[in-house]
Amino acid sequence: MIKLYLLLFAQFFHIGVFSFGGGYATLPFLYHIADKYYWFSQSQLTDMIAISSITPGPIGVNMATFSGFTTAGILGALIATSAIMIPSFIFVSVVYNILDKFKTNKYVISAVKSLKPAGCAMLSAVGIKLLFTSNLHLIGILCLIAFLISGFYKKQDPIFYLGISAIFGLIIGHLQWIGV
Amino acid sequence: MDKNFFTIFKTFFKVGTLLLGGGYVILPLLTSELVDKKGWITSDELCEYYALSTSLPGIIAANTAIFTGKKLLGAKGAIAAILGVTMPAFIAIILIASILSEITNIQSINYIFWGVGIGVIALLFFAVREMWNKCVTDKFSGIIYTICLILALSGKISPAIIVIFALIAGLADQFIKDRRLKND
């Protein structure tokens, strides 16, 4: 058990060090963990994202608490949430003292300019993989396409898409059109 | 209001409760609480902290809270701020996660989660588009994006390796530019 706690701490600490781009940037790491350790499944992660998007608090914190809890109960949640935060604490404390130098340093600017597209690319990969591994069926893919087209014109609140897709799932499920 | 551990905690707890969705919302929330209502900090300082937070690793809202807390009351303030902004999320998730395991054997709940999976993929692609618009702005960032996408799709490469690759590429790009300037 101690070994699990230590591993959990190490994994979430490393997410805190390497995730760039906020919000969903932790997801590529969490999917990688799901692949490697089987603490939680890919479909559990998808459920967690849905819930995290409509509960209070930053999504990154929600996801850390959720996956920590699923892995090892309340203590697991506490460990994962603090572990993802400790690197932030260290980075911010260092940068706070050299604020002006950090802001204008051209190597920092250039590194950030390269790290953000990397974060975006990894999140794209998560989306693409989910498209192929989720059990969407044709009807689900049609619904997704409708969301994407309407969203690219005018984006609504996350709760709008989750609400509609929840009702959609309920109706389609009860009609027995899909084998869930 | 007095600036002490408890009042800072309380303020950030409120912000954490109101914070729905991405961490991006923290800027308007903090502006309303800290600049308009309490006058603890200027709007310029807050914007600067937010901008810096997006350039650092980790959760943006957490980084912003640590910066602001540190400005208000040093390390003590930073701890109060981070505890405050995290706690609502922590409590909400623990409650939901505890209930969740009880209800997943209901068939209707499974149907709902099947449907919600579609919404989640849509949200991911919206987030990708938003990030893309902000960060893929020239040839260099386009190349980095493409290479990282191929790496991430190609199999079980750890995301950390991809991040380190991007970091090195960014530094190398600047280094080469410097060298060229020197030679000219």
Side-chain angles (χ1 to χ4, degrees):
Chain A
M1 206 59 188
I2 296 287
K3 215 182 138 195
L4 176 67
Y5 291 142
L6 284 176
L7 198 57
L8 194 64
F9 183 89
Q11 282 301 322
F12 280 86
F13 187 89
H14 122 274
I15 298 180
V17 174
F18 287 109
S19 68
F20 275 88
Y24 292 110
T26 55
L27 299 183
F29 294 87
L30 293 172
Y31 277 98
H32 187 73
I33 290 178
D35 261 359
K36 207 168 158 191
Y37 294 107
Y38 309 106
W39 289 339
F40 34 80
S41 68
Q42 299 227 350
S43 75
Q44 267 178 310
L45 267 178
T46 309
D47 299 349
M48 288 185 208
I49 300 169
I51 291 167
S52 299
S53 307
I54 51 172
T55 32
I59 290 179
V61 178
N62 291 336
M63 289 304 289
T65 308
F66 220 136
S67 27
F69 186 83
T70 313
T71 310
I74 294 218
L75 191 57
L78 208 58
I79 290 171
T81 314
S82 356
I84 205 170
M85 231 66 99
I86 292 172
S88 283
F89 221 88
I90 300 168
F91 282 121
V92 172
S93 303
V94 171
V95 169
Y96 187 86
N97 294 320
I98 50 162
L99 215 57
D100 294 316
K101 271 190 203 148
F102 182 84
K103 256 190 330 197
T104 51
N105 186 296
K106 57 187 177 187
Y107 284 99
V108 171
I109 294 169
S110 168
V112 169
K113 233 189 112 195
S114 169
L115 286 166
K116 284 185 177 170
C120 181
M122 291 193 291
L123 191 61
S124 315
V126 169
I128 293 168
K129 280 183 192 164
L130 271 182
L131 268 184
F132 288 104
T133 54
S134 312
N135 193 17
L136 284 183
H137 299 270
L138 182 64
I139 186 106
I141 290 172
L142 290 177
C143 175
L144 177 66
I145 291 171
F147 278 160
L148 291 178
I149 291 173
S150 74
F152 282 134
Y153 283 108
K154 190 181 182 313
K155 212 187 117 201
Q156 311 283 343
D157 223 42
I159 208 157
F160 171 83
Y161 300 103
L162 296 175
I164 292 199
S165 55
I167 297 167
F168 182 75
L170 202 56
I171 295 170
I172 300 291
H174 278 291
L175 290 173
Q176 306 287 332
W177 286 3
I178 46 160
V180 180
Chain B
M1 210 189 327
D2 230 16
K3 258 188 285 181
N4 60 40
F5 187 89
F6 185 67
T7 52
I8 293 174
F9 172 80
K10 227 173 72 182
T11 311
F12 278 88
F13 189 90
K14 189 175 166 195
V15 169
T17 314
L18 297 173
L19 193 69
L20 269 168
Y24 308 105
V25 205
I26 198 171
L27 190 58
L29 286 175
L30 281 182
T31 307
S32 133
E33 284 298 319
L34 298 178
V35 181
D36 301 343
K37 282 189 199 155
K38 302 204 169 66
W40 282 352
I41 192 173
T42 67
S43 171
D44 284 349
E45 283 171 316
L46 205 54
C47 286
E48 188 183 334
Y49 292 154
Y50 177 78
L52 283 167
S53 295
T54 63
S55 322
L56 287 174
I59 297 158
I60 293 176
N63 290 345
T64 313
I66 300 171
F67 264 121
T68 320
K70 216 169 161 60
K71 166 80 187 174
L72 295 177
L73 200 69
K76 243 170 83 181
I79 291 169
I82 193 74
L83 282 179
V85 87
T86 316
M87 207 168 275
F90 191 83
I91 297 169
I93 291 294
I94 296 286
L95 285 177
I96 294 173
S98 319
I99 302 168
L100 201 63
S101 54
E102 306 287 316
I103 57 169
T104 40
N105 50 3
I106 303 169
Q107 191 56 34
S108 293
I109 298 289
N110 288 327
Y111 293 149
I112 288 178
F113 273 123
W114 175 82
V116 157
I118 304 167
V120 165
I121 298 178
L123 290 182
L124 283 187
F125 280 116
F126 292 141
V128 164
R129 193 175 77 134
E130 212 165 285
M131 285 164 98
W132 168 281
N133 287 342
K134 272 185 207 153
C135 66
V136 183
T137 46
D138 55 7
K139 205 171 131 196
F140 178 74
S141 48
I143 293 170
I144 295 289
Y145 176 88
T146 314
I147 297 173
C148 291
L149 182 65
I150 294 169
L151 288 177
L153 283 175
S154 66
K156 305 214 174 220
I157 300 171
S158 157
I161 305 281
I162 299 174
V163 169
I164 291 170
F165 159 77
L167 179 69
I168 294 172
L171 293 176
D173 180 53
Q174 186 60 40
F175 189 71
I176 292 166
K177 274 183 197 153
D178 282 358
R179 282 287 288 275
R180 258 190 221 145
L181 270 179
K182 233 180 248 170
N183 290 341
D184 281 346

